[in-house]
Amino acid sequence: MDAILVVNAGSSSVKFQIFAVGDAAELQRLIKGQMDGIGVRPRLQAKADGSSVFNREFAPNEIPDVPAAIGAVADWLRETQNFTLIAVGHRVVHGGPVFDKPVIIDHDVVKRLESYVSLAPLHQPNNLEPIRLLLARRPELMQVACFDTAFHRDHSAVADHFALPERFYSEGIRRYGFHGLSYEYVAMRLQEIAPDIAAGRVIVAHLGSGASLCALHNGRSFESTMGFSALDGLPMGTRSGQIDPGVLLYLIMQRGMEPAAVQDLLYRESGLKGMSGISNDMRELETSAEPTAALAIDYFVYRVGLYTGMLAAALGGLDAFIFTAGIGENSATIRGRIAEKLAWLGAQIDPAANVGGKPLISRAGSRVRLYVVPTDEELAIARHTLSLLTKDATIASTVAM
């Protein structure tokens, strides 16, 4: 059985999925798993058809880093699964100004992607680890990089620029936008769920540990709350979101903070975690009685409402608002509170549908429809990988003839 492996490597986890490739080039999800707690409390978990097929803890010294985690996952797959791996698709957060679509990976591509590490220091190094490992161990295996920035590359010059001298834009300092694989998948699903509004003015809220909003017009990215880096826009689990640049100048010039310390503050110690002083997990904050937890939630909801107004203005109105990702898909309370912020736009939530897990959660008379659409970035990556695999095979066949 031919199969595609999808890898999404983070700082403390490696998520993976296996998709079987059928005779008609259709994809079937076989395995979904992850190795989390790397270096602290490593655990490898895997499911098939929603049921657990493996669950094991490791000692911290057995899985001290991402390469070790990848090795353990590879060993488990090789020992327990019966398939022929024909390609690997990777989520890569930053494609810079060069990569506007998925690309087959070689050493030159890796070198280019390494130059974008400073643009996404929390993600890019970990995204590249499994790529380098596989290039060294399985150089014949096709690898495909799929970029979170690619979906937003059609933005207008007005949306794409900062108010800086043009030479900085030419050097790559521009608004990229992120979570593109998630938005791409949701836009595609919206065509199936609600084709009558898929071509209209839609805002998708990717609300999870990382959070952003994307304005869609005719199914394409029109504007985003994230910009040059994955720090901009909404507050996130540990990231600050939008902040006055003067604060950063003050911290460096007046407080004497080193740039690396400021980077660590903005990426790892801010957001919900920083404001609450408790946790970066919305679930913990919702059950906490601490005033700081309530403040962090209030701030998160307020900023979602604020940025929704901005994107609605960019679109010239709003036809639908879509919740997706961990918080958006699972917290009826947060969805309800955000919907209240959208009442001025004509959004009316149906409380029963919201709590009941329905895909359409707005009332019948709501001018703005509200939906919950689970995202599937891994399937989007698998589809891109299969497309390039098929295209590459066609080219090879033509050359051979």
Side-chain angles (χ1 to χ4, degrees), residues 329 335 352-361 372:
E329 294 171 26
R335 289 196 301 264
N354 182 36
V355 175
K358 303 292 184 181
L360 177 63
I361 60 171
V372 180

Side-chain angles (χ1 to χ4, degrees), residues 94-111:
H94 216 302
V98 174
F99 298 109
D100 59 357
K101 57 183 176 294
V103 62
I104 296 174
I105 297 168
D106 57 23
H107 289 285
D108 289 337
V109 169
V110 171
K111 186 175 180 180

Side-chain angles (χ1 to χ4, degrees), residues 343-371:
W344 69 277
L345 287 164
Q348 300 177 34
I349 197 166
D350 180 334
N354 182 36
V355 175
K358 303 292 184 181
L360 177 63
I361 60 171
S362 52
R363 295 182 186 274
S366 179
R367 291 203 309 272
V368 174
R369 288 196 227 169
L370 305 172
Y371 288 90

Side-chain angles (χ1 to χ4, degrees), residues 178-243:
F178 296 87
H179 293 136
L181 292 164
S182 176
Y183 293 129
E184 176 190 352
Y185 177 83
V186 171
M188 178 203 68
R189 282 288 292 139
L190 197 59
Q191 293 176 1
E192 302 167 359
I193 296 169
D196 57 324
I197 65 164
R201 301 163 300 181
V202 176
I203 293 175
V204 183
H206 179 104
L207 307 179
S209 180
S212 66
L213 304 179
C214 178
L216 301 178
H217 187 270
N218 197 25
R220 302 175 72 87
S221 178
F222 189 80
E223 180 60 275
S224 171
T225 57
M226 280 185 167
F228 177 69
S229 73
L231 280 174
D232 202 6
L234 300 178
M236 297 165 242
T238 64
R239 283 170 269 169
S240 64
Q242 184 272 330
I243 189 169

Side-chain angles (χ1 to χ4, degrees), residues 390-401:
T390 304
K391 180 179 180 181
D392 191 64
T394 301
I395 293 172
S397 176
T398 302
V399 171
M401 291 174 62

Side-chain angles (χ1 to χ4, degrees), residues 332-344:
T333 301
I334 298 299
R335 289 196 301 264
R337 292 190 59 181
I338 290 172
E340 291 176 3
K341 296 289 186 184
L342 310 186
W344 69 277

